[in-house]
Amino acid sequence: MVLNLRPKCANPSCAASFDWLAGGKLFRFPRETRELAPPNGREANVVGPHPIGHFWLCERCSNVYTLHYQHGRGVVILPLWPELPPAKSNMHLPAL
């Protein structure tokens, strides 16, 4: 198991290193049991010593995205403002 000693933004496309003074948003979510299962396969239902995972979005990313926990998928990054459907073009503009 490799520990990340230099935490970064949870957005995979962002390389910002964790800096609490620079702002951003911190999230806490439950970990999936399969993430915490021991490699020998025993006691797969045991959550383990750290049942909560911590994630951080930098200031820039937290203005555009949020993190959400989905059972079976884990933590996913979602836009704060989902795309709007295209407007219907029923309006007729008169020629000048």
Side-chain angles (χ1 to χ4, degrees):
M1 174 183 219
V2 176
L3 296 175
N4 184 5
L5 299 177
R6 299 283 299 168
K8 66 173 250 10
C9 180
N11 180 356
S13 301
C14 180
S17 294
F18 177 74
D19 181 5
W20 185 250
L21 297 176
K25 191 169 181 184
L26 190 64
F27 297 84
R28 292 175 42 164
F29 294 108
R31 291 186 185 260
E32 294 280 333
T33 25
R34 64 175 183 221
E35 292 178 31
L36 301 168
N40 61 10
R42 284 192 239 151
E43 300 181 35
N45 293 334
V46 174
V47 176
H50 303 289
I52 302 294
H54 296 86
F55 302 85
W56 174 73
L57 283 175
C58 69
E59 184 72 25
R60 184 182 305 164
C61 291
S62 66
N63 289 323
V64 180
Y65 299 106
T66 188
L67 297 178
H68 183 71
Y69 177 81
Q70 294 180 352
H71 184 71
R73 288 185 66 196
V75 178
V76 294
I77 187 168
L78 298 172
L80 284 173
W81 303 282
E83 289 187 34
L84 298 174
K88 294 182 180 179
S89 181
N90 293 338
M91 198 168 26
H92 176 69
L93 299 175
L96 295 176

